[in-house]
Amino acid sequence: MPIESAPVHEFSVIAPVKIQLVFARKEAGQTIQDRLVPPVGLLTLAEQIVLECPEHEVEVLDGNTVDDETLLSMIDADVLGFSVWYSNYQNTLRLAKTIKELRPSTRILLGGPHPNALSVKILNNRPEIDNVFSGDSEHSLVSFLKESDCSAIPGLVWRTNGGIRSNPADYSVPLNRIAPARIRTLKTPFKWNSTSRPMSHSYFPISKFRGCFRSKRCEYCSIAIESLRASTAEEFWEQVDILNSEAGIDHFFETADIFPAQRAKEIAARRPPHLRHVRSRCYLFPGMGTPRHVEQLMEMGISNVFYGVESVHYFANNRFTVPSGNRTYSSDYSINSLIAEFTRFGQKGITVMPSLVLGLPGESQERIQANLDLARELSDLPFVEELSLSPLMPLPGSAFFDLCLADRKIQSLYAAKTNECLDRVDDLDFDILSRLLIERHSAVGYDRLIECLDEFVATSKKRVATWRGRTAKDFERQL
């Protein structure tokens, strides 16, 4: 047996092992049906293991491209790591429990956005999970395979005979020490479908910039740090070149939230001639679409921008008191300013996907309608082909999730509806939690909000990506 039997606080690898990194099938989230990309975070983790621990065998499995039975039949690992989002957590738990019953010696690890703020709760509630990693895991996972002293592994959460211990996550590792993602470890089906006009969520994600350079985190953001790590322009194009040459991938999504547009000029200047055909997508927010930035982003190859518009009440002449609001724009920034930015992008052949959030604290039904009117106005622009429009979701780790935890009324109502204690549960009912947050901290009825959203989606001439919570009528239909 390659994994040494040890007390709960210890773990050591004494021989080459098989490692499988799995993304369980997504079951919730935005209604995107054409997402063609594999879990790039796991591909990066796999390459880090190949680079630093070549004695081990490593595979990546994407549960979105095979059925659950097939995925289960492919799993035969000594060490099994799951990338977990709120949208695939329940499927992850079902799969982990089954694997632990079939292969008790398999070491099961969780990482990804969802466990970051829930790691201790997960180990308290889920005996089938052996360890949780918080924060970036490329070097932490390698350390886990090499290091038997759990206290020396950044971001590791583990059981001891006296309870559960956790190490602080390390977000300081320079990106040039993280291996570029490749497709070669992916064992589930994948074929890149090149098209001149891809839907925005079908761009292949890469992470050569990580974090956000905003001075304060947005309240719905679950990113744990307020900093940005950047690759060089050469490192950016190296990653693009690898995926383009190995798999023909020609549309990329730089996942930094928010992308540092001031770096576009440097990246454009170092673009290799043989990658002139490649196009990219990035996150921006209102105020970043200056004439200079738009020109430089076009030269870099940006063909689509996801624009975090979020709400009308961040704009001039539309402000009102938002108790937890961190975001502000310049005092003269108006909706007309936003449309002028969008127009600049459109004139350069760059499409825009605006994103709005409904039900922020302090919002009224009038403000909901103003947001929908803005969404309709933006969707009428010819270079806006898609929109993202969803009710507020308090993701673990975000300020809005902390607001829920601090609100005794929300805690009481959540317990009454779910028979679960909000400050102990790890498998959250986001439909209920979103409803409680919106109805407690705004003047908006949740069911009415969803009805308005449904009506917008049904009548929109453009494609709308949305996360739609259940209404009272939906619950009645389930019963």
Side-chain angles (χ1 to χ4, degrees):
M1 181 63 75
I3 297 178
E4 188 175 78
S5 176
V8 290
H9 64 288
E10 296 177 2
F11 170 77
S12 60
V13 177
I14 58 175
V17 298
K18 182 171 185 178
I19 304 157
Q20 289 177 314
L21 306 175
V22 179
F23 192 89
R25 176 174 51 83
K26 183 179 175 182
E27 59 199 333
Q30 289 192 324
T31 53
I32 296 294
Q33 303 301 324
D34 61 349
R35 189 170 178 84
L36 308 174
V37 297
V40 69
L42 295 183
L43 296 176
T44 305
L45 281 175
E47 291 303 319
Q48 200 71 38
I49 294 171
V50 170
L51 179 66
E52 297 194 51
C53 302
E55 68 274 20
H56 300 312
E57 179 184 359
V58 59
E59 296 179 349
V60 175
L61 305 176
D62 182 5
N64 288 312
T65 62
V66 295
D67 60 51
D68 292 350
E69 185 177 352
T70 300
L71 181 62
L72 183 60
S73 70
M74 298 177 73
I75 294 175
D76 58 355
D78 302 303
V79 178
L80 184 64
F82 287 96
S83 176
V84 185
W85 298 57
Y86 84 91
S87 54
N88 74 340
Y89 188 47
Q90 290 185 352
N91 278 336
T92 298
L93 291 178
R94 283 192 284 268
L95 194 55
K97 187 173 183 179
T98 300
I99 292 297
K100 205 65 170 179
E101 291 171 351
L102 295 173
R103 300 173 58 87
S105 64
T106 295
R107 195 82 178 186
I108 298 181
L109 320 174
L110 298 190
H114 185 77
N116 273 345
L118 301 172
S119 55
V120 173
K121 296 176 185 178
I122 290 170
L123 289 192
N124 269 325
N125 299 338
R126 309 292 171 183
E128 65 271 22
I129 306 302
D130 295 300
N131 298 98
V132 178
F133 287 84
S134 61
D136 291 349
S137 297
E138 287 88 356
H139 285 270
S140 298
L141 183 54
V142 167
S143 296
F144 182 80
L145 296 171
K146 293 180 174 181
E147 175 64 66
S148 61
D149 179 6
C150 289
S151 64
I153 302 171
L156 181 68
V157 185
W158 75 102
R159 296 184 182 91
T160 73
N161 293 324
I164 294 173
R165 292 184 59 187
S166 60
N167 297 329
D170 182 7
Y171 291 96
S172 66
V173 178
L175 297 188
N176 61 9
R177 289 180 53 202
I178 295 177
R182 295 177 184 265
I183 301 294
R184 60 187 177 181
T185 57
L186 183 66
K187 301 306 177 183
T188 44
F190 170 71
K191 180 181 179 181
W192 180 253
N193 296 317
S194 183
T195 174
S196 59
R197 295 179 69 84
M199 303 307 289
S200 59
H201 280 71
S202 294
Y203 285 65
F204 194 98
I206 58 175
S207 299
K208 303 311 291 181
F209 298 84
R210 295 191 183 184
C212 180
F213 63 78
R214 294 183 65 87
S215 59
K216 291 185 177 181
R217 288 172 56 195
C218 299
E219 295 82 1
Y220 40 78
C221 177
S222 58
I223 297 175
I225 55 170
E226 297 176 359
S227 63
L228 181 77
R229 283 173 293 162
S231 301
T232 65
E234 290 81 3
E235 290 161 352
F236 175 87
W237 291 117
E238 176 194 21
Q239 174 67 94
V240 169
D241 196 13
I242 288 171
L243 292 169
N244 180 252
S245 61
E246 293 183 356
I249 298 167
D250 55 4
H251 284 79
F252 294 89
F253 169 31
E254 172 47 63
T255 62
D257 188 5
I258 298 293
F259 180 72
Q262 66 272 20
R263 295 289 303 275
K265 181 178 180 180
E266 174 195 0
I267 295 171
R270 288 166 173 75
R271 187 178 187 176
H274 69 284
L275 295 176
R276 293 288 176 187
H277 66 292
V278 166
R279 295 292 176 263
S280 299
R281 177 181 187 241
C282 65
Y283 281 139
L284 299 177
F285 65 84
M288 296 183 71
T290 64
R292 177 171 60 89
H293 282 159
V294 171
E295 183 72 27
Q296 292 168 353
L297 288 164
M298 181 197 69
E299 293 174 356
M300 175 184 158
I302 295 293
S303 58
N304 175 269
V305 291
F306 181 99
Y307 238 67
V309 177
E310 313 312 356
S311 176
V312 295
H313 62 231
Y314 297 125
F315 295 90
N317 304 319
N318 282 286
R319 290 203 182 95
F320 71 112
T321 300
V322 183
S324 60
N326 283 340
R327 176 172 290 196
T328 57
Y329 302 137
S330 61
S331 59
D332 60 348
Y333 193 91
S334 66
I335 290 173
N336 287 338
S337 306
L338 178 72
I339 292 174
E341 283 190 31
F342 281 22
T343 302
R344 286 189 202 111
F345 282 107
Q347 290 170 343
K348 296 295 184 179
I350 299 173
T351 59
V352 182
M353 183 179 184
S355 170
L356 289 94
V357 179
L358 305 177
L360 292 170
E363 210 156 52
S364 64
Q365 186 61 44
E366 179 185 13
R367 290 286 171 172
I368 293 291
Q369 190 57 53
N371 276 316
L372 293 171
D373 291 343
L374 174 59
R376 188 82 64 187
E377 184 176 1
L378 297 177
S379 71
D380 287 339
L381 299 172
F383 34 83
V384 172
E385 298 179 345
E386 302 172 81
L387 300 91
S388 174
L389 188 62
S390 295
L392 174 62
M393 178 186 289
L395 291 172
S398 70
F400 285 136
F401 184 74
D402 292 342
L403 178 61
C404 292
L405 291 176
D407 189 317
R408 292 184 178 180
K409 185 66 172 179
I410 288 180
Q411 290 235 20
S412 175
L413 290 170
Y414 187 88
K417 290 178 179 294
T418 65
N419 293 319
E420 298 275 9
C421 182
L422 185 58
D423 59 4
R424 296 179 185 175
V425 67
D426 58 291
D427 184 11
L428 294 151
D429 189 320
F430 285 104
D431 287 354
I432 291 175
L433 193 58
S434 180
R435 172 188 290 272
L436 294 176
L437 174 61
I438 289 172
E439 293 190 342
R440 273 284 289 164
H441 291 274
S442 74
V444 179
Y446 189 81
D447 287 350
R448 178 57 185 153
L449 184 155
I450 297 299
E451 289 172 4
C452 292
L453 177 59
D454 286 349
E455 181 181 356
F456 182 94
V457 173
T459 59
S460 176
K461 297 178 182 178
K462 303 294 177 68
R463 190 168 183 266
V464 182
T466 183
W467 170 78
R468 180 198 182 282
R470 293 168 292 175
T471 65
K473 291 182 180 179
D474 295 326
F475 285 110
E476 290 173 5
R477 281 193 287 267
Q478 285 182 337
L479 296 174

